[in-house]
Amino acid sequence: MSEAEGYPGVGRVLVIIPTYNESDNIRLITGRTREAVPSVDILVADDNSPDGTGAIADELAEADDHIFVLHRAGKEGLGAAYKAGFQWAKDKGYDAVVEMDADGSHAPEELHLLLDALADNDAVIGTRYIPGGSVHNWPLRRLLLSRGGNLYIRMALGMPFKDATAGYRAYRIGILDKIDVATIASTGYSFQVEMTWRAHRQGFRMVEVPITFTEREIGVSKMSGNIFKEQLLRVTTWGVQARKESLLGLLNRKPRQGSTWP
């Protein structure tokens, strides 16, 4: 398959990179992505960064016809940026989308691992917490918080995934409408969990592949205590709702004739 036709087994791929004040990183991440997988296109979804990230992205797009820019009115959160990017990809006829951070924590050199796995699946999560995955330059407290959060998610929602909060992932475009992305309310990092939860409940084929996650070296992390609290609250709510639905379904089951159910 030629570069113009897209990635083998997947088709035309759009890598969506949300940005807010990433002027020091945007040239690096787009350059690495273009070198790692030349067949993909890149959409920089910039939330009107005060540091001029959007203007730099425009320069990159002017020089490379594989790079595009989506200028947004202001900072509305990670989830909103991805939803806008998904719609852009759908309108332009792409076959798959990839979520990638601008800060270098997601290695473009590992993008092929996600895309190779996507050839036989509907969604792929780049995972830190399976054999072969790793986390670099995180303090112990943050690592424990992330691992503990993912353990709670598995217990609360009954999902098998070891890293439902991971932000490096790929989706076939066709499943986005089926999981009704437009109605996802999460705006922060819980957006990733909600995407995983909806796709899992719909029965789509999802796999995890190991990645190397490296904490940003340039700029300021967007993670905060409020983001973690939002995630915890939403996961708890979804878990309670799922158990109620399961219980109601059990109670509403009619016993077969001659059965002594329950």
Side-chain angles (χ1 to χ4, degrees), residues 169-202:
R169 48 180 67 200
Y171 295 98
R172 289 193 175 274
I173 201 77
I175 80 168
L176 298 179
D177 283 340
K178 294 177 182 178
I179 63 178
D180 203 6
V181 170
T183 66
I184 289 181
S186 303
T187 57
Y189 286 85
S190 60
F191 175 80
Q192 308 295 9
V193 182
E194 188 165 358
M195 288 283 290
T196 308
W197 175 231
R198 291 196 181 194
H200 174 68
R201 296 195 80 188
Q202 290 277 351

Side-chain angles (χ1 to χ4, degrees), residues 145-166 189-190 192-194 196-197 228 231-232 234-236 238-239 243:
L145 191 65
S146 176
R147 280 189 168 274
N150 274 287
L151 177 60
Y152 178 74
I153 289 167
R154 290 201 303 276
M155 293 174 61
L157 301 181
M159 295 195 299
F161 309 111
K162 298 293 182 66
D163 199 357
T165 61
Y189 286 85
S190 60
Q192 308 295 9
V193 182
E194 188 165 358
T196 308
W197 175 231
F228 181 76
Q231 182 172 284
L232 183 63
R234 290 188 182 277
V235 168
T236 302
W238 299 330
R243 281 162 175 76

Side-chain angles (χ1 to χ4, degrees), residues 21 23 46 49-57:
N21 287 348
S23 61
D46 185 65
S49 299
D51 71 346
T53 301
I56 296 172

Side-chain angles (χ1 to χ4, degrees), residues 198-219:
R198 291 196 181 194
H200 174 68
R201 296 195 80 188
Q202 290 277 351
F204 290 111
R205 296 169 300 172
M206 302 179 67
V207 294
E208 293 180 292
V209 297
I211 62 162
T212 301
F213 179 94
T214 304
E215 175 66 345
R216 68 160 64 232
E217 295 182 356
I218 304 173

